[in-house]
Amino acid sequence: MKGRDKAIDNTTRELTELRQKVFELESVKVRSERTVQDLRKLLSMQQVILDSIPDIVWLKDVESRFLAVNEAFAKASKRTKEDLIGKTDFDFWPASLAQRYRDDDVQVMKSGVKKVIEETLAHSENEKVWIETIKSPVHDDMGHAIGTVGISRDITERKLAQERIQAELAVAARIQKNMLPQDFPHLAPTDAFDLYALMSPAREVGGDFYDFFLVDNDHLCVSVGDVAGKGVAAALFMAITIALLRSTARETSAPDAILNRLNRELVRGNDACMFVTAFCAILDLRTGSLSYANAGHQPPLICTREKSIACLAAPSGPPLGLVDGTSYREESLTLDPGNILFAYTDGVTEACDKQSAFFSEDRLVQRVLELKAGTCEKIISGVMESVASFCTETDQTDDITMLALAFKGRHAAERG
């Protein structure tokens, strides 16, 4: 009897345990089914979100197989989303293009840094479409790369606008270049002077300028200036300054009077508070007398025949366009035959190398001394080559302008 009861108890216990396991299994199954349902709902919601994005969006695994794409992607590729899932770019595009896409994916996953790609897609012989693609890495909880996510958008309108702006800036650059005198005097025994100048803008157009012209048969006006800032606004202010300078210099041959009037005119209506530094000088070709005035510009260099060089010491007033009523002071000196006036903007001395070191005034002085025996054109070209070599691994960040004027003699023309 006891044996039978014991067997019944064992059987009951085993059935209870079995029922418990069945219940647990059923619970796990229910939870699994619920989890699957929740995941499906989540994926469905994610897909709805993806499809609502007008840009092309996709998700790839570590092997660059498509895990998810949106409606925009399917429409652009002329395939269904179901056809794309599980495939790679090699299933759709030419091998060279697919390999480039794959290389981009690998690079992004390896570096962990997103990549921005701009490229053209030809839709027809008469139409070119620009696409911008941003690829970013996808990581798991451990920080391991497990795929990439990408988004592409049509940027054709933006690129066309940029091309229009570039075309307009190219025209503006040509106009600005033509505003500066390019007809330099040809060196001849009868010339009383030699002169050459250069302006290299950091952008398409710049705010630096140089100018030179004969006020009359015996007086030469030269000037160098630097508008604060760069680009179109600086170029417009530069054009106004040159026009005012030329008109004023033909009414008076006094550099201080030229700067005084320039300042009054530039202050008027200058709501943008722009300003320009400027050096202006008048050379008497008969005597070598050089009168000059300075409005906040770095002093030019004076080279003598004795191979010495020094900054042109002169009182400097504030830049033009800031303070109405400013009075600039005129100074003068006499150039001996062979003396050279070298005027420049700070884009020369502040040109930087890859260590952010400046070209500096010391390097400029040394280079001008090395070149002073040559023509003014060779001096300017030599300095520019040295600056370019110094900054060979960096971009030009400021406008560069130089003007060299050599006085050949008081009576050079008569001697000829």
Side-chain angles (χ1 to χ4, degrees):
M1 192 73 176
K2 289 182 179 180
R4 188 179 65 180
D5 292 342
K6 185 176 182 180
I8 292 173
D9 290 341
N10 289 337
T11 300
T12 302
R13 187 177 65 257
E14 290 174 355
L15 287 172
T16 302
E17 292 175 353
L18 182 60
R19 287 192 184 97
Q20 183 64 32
K21 289 179 179 179
V22 170
F23 177 77
E24 290 176 355
L25 287 173
E26 289 177 343
S27 298
V28 169
K29 180 181 179 182
V30 170
R31 288 198 300 272
S32 297
E33 290 177 347
R34 289 176 180 172
T35 299
V36 170
Q37 291 175 356
D38 290 342
L39 288 174
R40 285 175 177 168
K41 289 180 180 179
L42 181 59
L43 288 173
S44 178
M45 291 174 61
Q46 290 177 334
Q47 189 64 53
V48 170
I49 294 173
L50 286 178
D51 289 339
S52 68
I53 299 174
D55 298 324
I56 293 171
V57 182
W58 74 88
L59 177 66
K60 294 179 181 178
D61 65 13
V62 71
E63 299 298 330
S64 293
R65 289 185 292 261
F66 289 102
L67 298 178
V69 299
N70 69 345
E71 192 65 37
F73 187 100
K75 183 178 180 180
S77 63
K78 298 180 180 179
R79 293 174 175 83
T80 65
K81 287 180 284 187
E82 292 73 22
D83 290 338
L84 293 165
I85 302 303
K87 304 293 180 58
T88 71
D89 291 304
F90 288 94
D91 295 309
F92 314 121
W93 314 121
S96 59
L97 184 61
Q99 186 61 54
R100 180 159 67 84
Y101 291 161
R102 172 59 180 166
D103 292 342
D104 290 339
D105 293 341
V106 172
Q107 178 187 353
V108 167
M109 287 186 286
K110 185 176 181 179
S111 67
V113 179
K114 73 178 181 181
K115 184 175 183 179
V116 181
I117 306 159
E118 289 186 0
E119 58 188 346
T120 58
L121 300 177
H123 284 197
S124 69
E125 294 181 357
N126 301 320
E127 181 183 7
K128 181 178 287 187
V129 175
W130 279 91
I131 299 293
E132 179 188 71
T133 300
I134 302 174
K135 287 188 177 182
S136 303
V138 178
H139 299 94
D140 60 16
D141 293 338
M142 301 298 292
H144 301 132
I146 58 173
T148 58
V149 61
I151 182 168
S152 296
R153 59 174 55 95
D154 188 330
I155 58 169
T156 304
E157 285 301 318
R158 187 179 81 191
K159 295 296 288 188
L160 291 176
Q162 290 175 348
E163 290 176 359
R164 288 192 295 269
I165 292 173
Q166 287 300 119
E168 291 172 0
L169 286 175
V171 173
R174 289 196 298 272
I175 293 173
Q176 183 179 45
K177 182 179 180 180
N178 291 334
M179 288 188 66
L180 304 179
Q182 305 294 321
D183 187 14
F184 300 102
H186 297 290
L187 191 59
T190 57
D191 289 340
F193 67 95
D194 179 25
L195 186 149
Y196 193 79
L198 173 149
M199 196 279 277
S200 174
R203 301 178 184 173
E204 290 82 356
V205 291
D208 278 11
F209 69 87
Y210 67 82
D211 201 6
F212 63 88
F213 50 88
L214 286 169
V215 177
D216 54 42
N217 290 335
D218 298 320
H219 294 87
L220 173 71
C221 178
V222 296
S223 61
V224 171
D226 183 357
V227 177
K230 293 178 284 293
V232 175
L236 290 172
F237 203 73
M238 163 265 199
I240 294 171
T241 303
I242 287 182
L244 289 172
L245 187 150
R246 290 174 181 171
S247 63
T248 303
R250 286 180 168 83
E251 296 176 5
T252 175
S253 58
D256 57 342
I258 293 173
L259 294 188
N260 288 338
R261 179 173 174 184
L262 268 177
N263 183 66
R264 288 196 303 272
E265 295 297 332
L266 291 176
V267 167
R268 187 179 304 165
N270 186 13
D271 295 335
C273 296
M274 298 190 70
F275 60 90
V276 54
T277 66
F279 172 82
C280 179
I282 303 288
L283 174 64
D284 188 324
L285 301 177
R286 300 164 301 180
T287 65
S289 175
L290 183 79
S291 57
Y292 56 89
N294 194 339
H297 202 76
Q298 54 264 40
L301 304 175
I302 293 289
C303 288
T304 67
R305 300 181 68 177
E306 293 74 27
K307 295 186 178 180
S308 67
I309 189 169
C311 289
L312 184 62
S316 177
L320 304 170
L322 287 178
V323 182
D324 194 10
T326 299
S327 180
Y328 296 90
R329 178 177 168 183
E330 180 180 314
E331 297 288 333
S332 64
L333 58 81
T334 299
L335 296 180
D336 292 325
N339 287 176
I340 299 171
L341 172 75
F342 185 92
Y344 61 96
T345 60
D346 57 11
V348 179
T349 52
E350 295 180 6
C352 292
D353 65 7
K354 61 180 179 180
Q355 280 83 35
S356 297
F358 287 157
F359 183 74
S360 77
E361 186 176 308
D362 289 340
R363 287 188 177 88
L364 174 61
V365 168
Q366 181 60 37
R367 191 63 180 131
V368 172
L369 277 174
E370 294 169 353
L371 297 163
K372 70 181 293 292
T375 64
C376 288
E377 181 176 1
K378 289 183 178 179
I379 294 173
I380 296 289
S381 299
V383 172
M384 192 64 188
E385 289 173 2
S386 296
V387 172
S389 177
F390 181 80
C391 308
T392 185
E393 297 183 26
T394 58
D395 295 329
Q396 182 180 335
T397 58
D398 198 3
D399 303 333
I400 291 176
T401 299
M402 294 177 278
L403 180 147
L405 168 65
F407 179 60
K408 293 181 60 183
R410 295 180 180 87
H411 305 291
E414 287 81 348
R415 291 200 306 269

